[in-house]
Amino acid sequence: MTFIPRTLSALLAASALFATGAAHAAEYPARAINMVVPFSAGGPTDNVARSLAEAMRPTLGQTVVVENKAGAGGTIGTSYVARADPDGYTILLMHLGFTTAPSLYKDPGYDPFKSFEPIGLVVDVPMTLVAREDFPPNNIKELVEYVKANKDKVSVANAGIGAASHLCSTMLIDALGVDLLTIPYKGTGPAMNDLLGKQVDLMCDQTTNTTQQIGAKKVKAYAVTSLKRVPTLSDLPTMDESGFKGFQVGIWHGMWVPKGTPQPVVDKLVKALQAGLADPKFKERMAGLGAEVLNDEANPKALEAKVQQQVPQWAELFKKAGVPKQ
């Protein structure tokens, strides 16, 4: 029997593992990739995902299939990806709710620092304050007066606890200094459907989901949440210029894969993401929806820094607002 020292045995094992990983990465991707969106189809994050999936396909040489796993403010789909095989065939497209869930849920099902490998930031999307088409107030000044006079009757829809629409409406309620009836849904699509159906009064939603509805006059729009006006909605004032000084919320989107995904696979996905964001058709689509493409931040370091900065920031805000964990 040949004796192999432990250190040599460990090196051989490591080499074999590296060779296996390198071989896997060399053939990656050999089949279609699932891009999980933790919200319902037809919502703002879904809109970004479907355009991005198409834009990444030429670089990857494989189809990217968008898979919707909605519920619990995005935590169901996000935790699903956290538990997936780290082989690069299951990727996550999620917005800033990724960093708020740990402060909103006792057990979100994932750790924002330990469960994923970051790929990069994708787009930043401002939000719009909109109402059902026949809501009485016609501008932001009238809206404030109406809400304060009818606070027990006004309802605000959101896509679920921790969703972007929930965060924005929480900030709005805090700024107004009134308690309004909040109605959570399992995604922005169902919430928007009820707003269009005049079942709820107000909603704070991303421009990727409201621009077309505003243009078609199917909803009444009051303001945008960016500090500068949105070119595609230039008639809408900002919340800041409407008297809500400093009111700003932009919904950044990022891409992740499960922790332990081989570095060569991560590198290929980063390359595909960057190529996708540079695609003229993708840029045109995002511009039409009021979204800013984050080309310079489409890398792991930028996304990791964003998560590190925002998790404690949101925790402090929710603690101050007295928002209980679910």
Side-chain angles (χ1 to χ4, degrees):
M1 178 165 56
T2 304
F3 174 74
I4 301 178
R6 287 184 179 179
T7 52
L8 179 57
S9 179
L11 285 172
L12 289 172
S15 297
L17 182 63
F18 177 80
T20 301
H24 172 79
E27 66 180 21
Y28 174 84
R31 52 185 170 85
I33 297 168
N34 277 9
M35 179 186 290
V36 174
V37 174
F39 302 103
S40 58
T45 303
D46 182 71
N47 289 338
V48 173
R50 293 184 186 277
S51 293
L52 182 60
E54 182 180 335
M56 290 176 65
R57 183 176 60 177
T59 303
L60 292 169
Q62 292 288 346
T63 301
V64 181
V65 180
V66 175
E67 183 178 3
N68 299 94
K69 287 188 174 294
T75 60
I76 290 177
T78 303
S79 60
Y80 170 83
V81 177
R83 298 190 303 270
D85 291 336
D87 55 11
Y89 289 100
T90 304
I91 61 181
L92 172 70
L93 185 74
M94 174 57 161
H95 58 44
L96 63 75
F98 183 91
T99 61
T100 63
S103 299
L104 293 169
Y105 294 90
K106 294 175 182 177
D107 181 16
Y110 68 94
D111 185 312
F113 303 113
K114 299 178 181 179
S115 300
F116 296 92
E117 305 283 357
I119 300 300
L121 285 156
V122 181
V123 295
D124 192 18
V125 185
M127 304 195 78
T128 49
L129 178 58
V130 296
R132 55 183 168 85
E133 184 270 334
D134 60 347
F135 201 49
N138 293 308
N139 54 55
I140 193 73
K141 182 177 181 295
E142 290 182 10
L143 175 67
V144 173
E145 294 172 352
Y146 183 89
V147 167
K148 290 188 175 182
N150 299 274
K151 59 183 180 181
D152 296 330
K153 301 176 182 178
V154 177
S155 58
V156 183
N158 66 60
I161 303 300
S165 51
H166 170 243
L167 304 177
C168 185
S169 61
T170 298
M171 293 175 64
L172 174 66
I173 289 171
D174 181 63
L176 289 170
V178 297
D179 288 326
L180 303 178
L181 174 62
T182 58
I183 304 176
Y185 289 78
K186 290 186 176 180
T188 307
M192 177 58 76
N193 285 338
D194 271 11
L195 188 72
L196 294 173
K198 303 175 184 178
Q199 303 301 308
V200 291
D201 299 319
L202 291 169
M203 188 174 179
C204 192
D205 198 12
Q206 300 173 56
T207 56
T208 46
N209 199 46
T210 61
T211 299
Q212 293 179 350
Q213 308 290 3
I214 293 170
K217 299 188 184 302
K218 293 182 178 180
V219 296
K220 187 173 288 187
Y222 296 107
V224 295
T225 64
S226 52
L227 291 180
K228 294 182 179 179
R229 293 199 180 198
V230 176
T232 51
L233 298 169
S234 58
D235 290 340
L236 281 185
T238 67
M239 291 290 287
D240 182 79
E241 68 182 277
S242 300
F244 294 85
K245 294 300 179 184
F247 192 106
Q248 177 187 19
V249 54
I251 310 303
W252 55 267
H253 294 66
M255 181 179 291
W256 293 263
V257 288
K259 192 72 174 180
T261 300
Q263 188 60 47
V265 172
V266 170
D267 292 341
K268 286 188 176 182
L269 286 170
V270 172
K271 181 180 178 181
L273 172 62
Q274 293 173 345
L277 298 193
D279 180 79
K281 289 184 179 178
F282 178 78
K283 294 172 72 173
E284 182 180 357
R285 287 174 183 169
M286 293 301 103
L289 296 172
E292 178 188 0
V293 178
L294 302 176
N295 300 79
D296 295 338
E297 298 173 271
N299 61 76
K301 286 186 177 180
L303 180 52
E304 182 179 18
K306 179 71 77 173
V307 172
Q308 293 281 352
Q309 180 257 334
Q310 293 225 330
V311 169
Q313 175 181 307
W314 285 110
E316 183 179 351
L317 175 67
F318 292 137
K319 182 179 179 180
K320 179 183 177 183
V323 178
K325 287 191 175 183
Q326 303 295 305

